[in-house]
């Protein structure tokens, strides 16, 4: 009995320490003190306007977003209360239980290609608020930093040996458990898009999929990943929002377990690269 009480006390202490750190780190993870980095479309409904004279964005299209109104999404009790409670419990448990895996992968990454273990990306969160998403570094330090993976020439040349393994088994996403713990993400939800994926953002707005917290995994992820076209992916994200509840979250959670065995739907370069391969095969 004493041993169980000691273990419980240690777990509670760890939780309190992590919660304190999370409170301190939260403002710096959402560009709170950097107004120049904030999303001008935050909290607005948007539409994508094609314009071939503009620079190609991360979706491989040219154009820009315009504001067309405000969101009409109404969050229910499950989304506002119970989902957050589940996120805190599951993310804290995940951080504790997977700590040996975090340590092993961190050492492997540094040995394979010396440099930072983690890297951050500006992603679109709830209500289009930008936040810093964390991932295990899977690419070489020499990789160009101003281009998304799918816009690199032969992206596989930049992936480390460790990175190839952790990407194929989706282990590079594990640091996002921390993003869930501090409240920028949820365990289940639409995958957070890059800040300059304007077409994806606009398509998701049709289904209110930008009005909920992005997730570590979601309905689109278990129904196909990089092989999905953007409109299809956005529609699936919309189906999740429409049917959000404990049953839907459990279906997504257990449907995602197999991804760690290896996922053939992950294509280096994303949808654009997949389409290129299809054309080459033709």
């Amino acid at each position: 009995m004493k041993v169980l009480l000691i273990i419980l006390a240690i777990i509670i202490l760890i939780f309190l320490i992590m919660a304190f750190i999370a409170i301190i780190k939260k403002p710096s993870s959402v560009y709170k003190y950097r107004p120049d980095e904030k999303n001008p479309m935050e909290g607005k409904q948007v539409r994508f306007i094609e314009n071939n004279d503009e620079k190609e964005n991360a979706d491989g299209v040219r154009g820009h977003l315009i504001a067309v109104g405000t969101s009409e999404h109404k969050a229910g009790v499950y989304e506002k209360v119970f989902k957050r409670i589940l996120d805190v419990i599951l993310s804290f448990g995940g951080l504790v239980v997977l700590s040996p895996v975090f340590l092993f992968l961190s050492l492997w990454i540094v040995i394979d290609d010396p440099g930072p273990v983690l890297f951050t990306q500006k992603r679109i969160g709830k209500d289009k608020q930008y936040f810093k998403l964390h991932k295990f570094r899977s690419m070489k330090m020499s990789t160009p930093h101003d281009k998304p993976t799918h816009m690199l020439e032969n992206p596989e040349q930049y992936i480390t040996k460790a990175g190839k393994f952790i990407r194929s088994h989706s282990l590079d996403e594990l640091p996002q458990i921390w993003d869930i713990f501090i409240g920028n993400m949820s365990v289940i939800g639409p995958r957070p898009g890059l800040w300059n994926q304007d077409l994806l953002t606009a398509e998701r707005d049709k289904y209110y999929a930008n009005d909920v917290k992005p997730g570590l995994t979601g309905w689109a992820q278990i129904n196909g990943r990089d092989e999905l076209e953007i409109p299809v992916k956005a529609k699936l994200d919309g189906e999740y929002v429409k049917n959000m509840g404990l049953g839907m979250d459990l279906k997504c959670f257990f449907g995602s377990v197999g991804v760690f065995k290896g996922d053939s739907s992950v294509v280096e370069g994303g949808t654009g690269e997949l389409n290129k391969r299809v054309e080459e095969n033709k």
Side-chain angles (χ1 to χ4, degrees):
M1 188 64 180
K2 277 188 177 182
V3 175
L4 289 175
L5 289 174
I6 291 172
I7 292 173
L8 181 60
I10 292 172
I11 291 174
I12 292 173
L13 179 62
I14 293 172
F15 176 81
L16 291 174
I17 292 171
M18 289 174 60
F20 177 73
I21 295 172
I23 291 171
I24 295 173
K25 288 289 186 181
K26 174 70 175 179
S28 64
S29 69
V30 290
Y31 303 95
K32 183 176 180 180
Y33 301 113
R34 298 182 63 182
D36 57 312
E37 292 282 349
K38 288 183 67 175
N39 185 3
M41 297 296 174
E42 187 176 312
K44 301 174 183 176
Q45 286 285 296
V46 300
R47 188 154 53 96
F48 183 73
I49 303 296
E50 289 188 38
N51 186 337
N52 290 328
D53 294 329
E54 296 184 29
K55 184 179 179 182
E56 187 176 280
N57 64 25
D59 286 322
V61 294
R62 300 174 187 274
H64 61 277
L65 295 174
I66 61 169
V68 294
T70 55
S71 172
E72 298 176 2
H73 175 71
K74 300 282 193 261
V77 176
Y78 176 78
E79 181 184 344
K80 288 195 286 189
V81 181
F82 294 108
K83 191 171 173 66
R84 179 57 187 154
I85 292 172
L86 289 172
D87 284 341
V88 171
I89 293 171
L90 291 174
S91 59
F92 174 71
L95 289 169
V96 173
V97 173
L98 295 174
S99 55
V101 178
F102 276 71
L103 179 60
F104 171 77
L105 292 177
S106 297
L107 291 172
W108 189 10
I109 290 167
V110 172
I111 292 171
D112 194 10
D113 187 64
V117 171
L118 301 176
F119 81 100
T120 61
Q121 280 185 324
K122 186 195 290 185
R123 296 287 184 118
I124 296 179
K126 185 178 183 297
D127 299 323
K128 301 184 188 68
Q129 182 184 52
Y130 290 154
F131 74 99
K132 295 177 183 178
L133 175 140
H134 296 83
K135 280 190 174 189
F136 276 126
R137 181 172 61 87
S138 59
M139 306 191 84
K140 299 174 183 177
M141 291 298 294
S142 59
T143 306
H145 294 285
D146 57 347
K147 289 186 179 180
T149 305
H150 71 273
M151 294 184 75
L152 293 171
E153 185 69 30
N154 186 19
E156 292 192 13
Q157 67 177 308
Y158 296 106
I159 300 174
T160 63
K161 292 178 182 178
K164 191 174 182 65
F165 177 83
I166 66 177
R167 285 167 78 101
S168 65
H169 293 79
S170 296
L171 297 174
D172 57 326
E173 313 287 357
L174 288 180
Q176 289 157 50
I177 296 175
W178 173 254
D179 295 324
I180 296 169
F181 186 72
I182 65 177
N184 286 335
M185 291 179 60
S186 180
V187 175
I188 309 296
R191 283 296 296 158
L194 290 166
W195 68 274
N196 55 349
Q197 284 188 277
D198 291 343
L199 181 59
L200 176 63
T201 300
E203 286 294 318
R204 280 178 168 172
D205 253 14
K206 296 177 181 178
Y207 311 101
Y208 305 108
N210 293 311
D211 301 328
V212 300
K213 284 185 182 178
L216 182 63
T217 187
W219 189 237
Q221 270 52 54
I222 67 173
N223 285 284
R225 293 178 64 175
D226 289 331
E227 77 268 25
L228 295 177
E229 295 290 346
I230 286 174
V232 177
K233 189 181 296 185
K235 188 175 181 180
L236 287 169
D237 289 331
E239 287 179 15
Y240 169 76
V241 175
K242 184 179 179 181
N243 300 292
M244 186 187 297
L246 183 59
M248 186 63 159
D249 279 356
L250 287 175
K251 191 182 293 186
C252 292
F253 182 84
F254 289 111
S256 302
V257 173
V259 78
F260 296 107
K261 297 176 183 177
D263 193 351
S264 60
S265 64
V266 177
V267 179
E268 299 307 339
T271 305
E273 182 64 24
L274 183 71
N275 290 339
K276 189 189 299 180
R277 293 184 188 182
V278 170
E279 291 301 318
E280 287 175 353
N281 289 334
K282 286 181 181 178

